[in-house]
Amino acid sequence: MKDVLNALTKACEIKYDLVSMKYSNKVFLSRGSAVSRYIAVVLILWGAMHGVQAEDPAVGWEDIVMIKQASMHDNSVLFDCEMGKSRKIRQVQIDWYSPIVFRVQLFAHNNPPDGTIEISKPWTVAAVHVEKMKSGYSVHSSSLALEVTQNPLQICVRNLKRKIISKQVISISENDAEPAVRVSANLEMSEKLFGLGARHDALNKKGTQSTIWVGDTASGLDTETRAPVPFFFSTRSYGIFVNSALKSIFELGKSDPGKWSATVPSVDLDYFCIAGTSPKDVLSDYTQLVGRPSLPPLWTFRPWVSLGSQMSQQEVLDLSQTIRDSEIPAGAVVLDGWKSDQ
C-alpha cells in the first residue's frame, strides 16, 4: 500500500509523509492530466475516511542539530543547542535525581519551565561525569550512560552492560498559533507499555494514542478518562513521566510501530526518564518522585456492596442489618441512586 501511495503522490505532486501518516492538502488540481487530478481527489477522500490528518506544509517539526557548548554544575548538565532551520538557540538541561532517574528540560533564554509537580532536589547524590566525544557528549552515573549526540540531538540511554534502553529525540514546532514540543524514542517489537491513567481500553497501551485530559468516561469513548496520568512504563524496564498538566498526546506505536512519542502544546518541555533493572524498580522510583499515598483505612480493603437500583432508606437499613447478621465482612454499602422522598 505504501508503494502505491508513493507512486500516486509523486504523480499528483502531493506531499505525503508515510511515517506520520499525514498529507499536505496543498494539491494543485489545476495542473496535470485529468487522471492525476482524479487520483488527487481520491487520495484526499481516502485520507479523510481513514483518519489521516491534513498538515500545513509551512508548519513542520524542527530538530536540534548542533550542541554549541556544555557546562556542568553539581548533578546538572546544561547544553546550549542550535535549531536546524531557524538557527535559534535553545537550552537542554539534564538533572540527575538518582543513578537511574534523570530529568530533561528544554527551554529558551536560561529560563527552565516550572513543571506541574513540585519535585524535590535529588534524593541521593549521584556521581555524574561528563566526557566530550567526537559526536557529542557522554553523561554517565554509576548505573546509566547517556550519549548526547547531535544532528539531530539524541539522548541514547544505556545500562552498565552497554545495552541500549532508549534513544530519545526532541523536536519543536514553533507555530505562533499552536506551538508544540515532542519527545520520541524507539520501540522494540516485543515491548509492551502500560500506564497513562485509568482507561477502558487495552491494558497494553502499545499501538494506541491517548490524550492526557480529563473527560467523561460515561460517553463510552475509550480515549477519555477521569484520571489521566502522563506516565507510562515499559517491559524493557524504563518509564517516562511528562511533567505537564497541558493537553498532551501520547502516541505509543500507533502510526509507527517502531516509535513512541509524547507531544505537549508548549514552547518548553519537561520530562523524567527512569531506567531501572525491572518494571518494579521503575514504579518504585516513579512513586517516590511524584509522591506516595498514605495507607487507606481497613474498611476500604473489605468487600463493598453496590446497590444499582433505587432503594428507600428503610430498605437500605434492612439490607445492612442482613449483611451484619450473615457475618459478611462488608466495608461499605454504595448507593448508586436513592429515593429522596423516602
Side-chain angles (χ1 to χ4, degrees), residues 159-175:
N159 60 18
L160 291 179
K161 296 181 179 179
R162 302 292 298 167
K163 182 180 179 180
I164 295 177
I165 300 174
S166 178
K167 294 181 179 179
Q168 302 167 12
V169 177
I170 298 174
S171 305
I172 303 172
S173 177
E174 292 196 324
N175 179 6

Side-chain angles (χ1 to χ4, degrees), residues 54-71:
E55 180 182 37
D56 185 349
V59 180
W61 290 95
E62 186 176 357
D63 293 326
I64 298 173
V65 298
M66 183 182 297
I67 302 174
K68 300 182 73 67
Q69 66 178 10
S71 57

Side-chain angles (χ1 to χ4, degrees), residues 180-191:
V181 287
R182 178 175 64 196
V183 55
S184 59
N186 59 303
L187 269 177
E188 298 293 335
M189 187 68 66
S190 60
E191 191 171 352

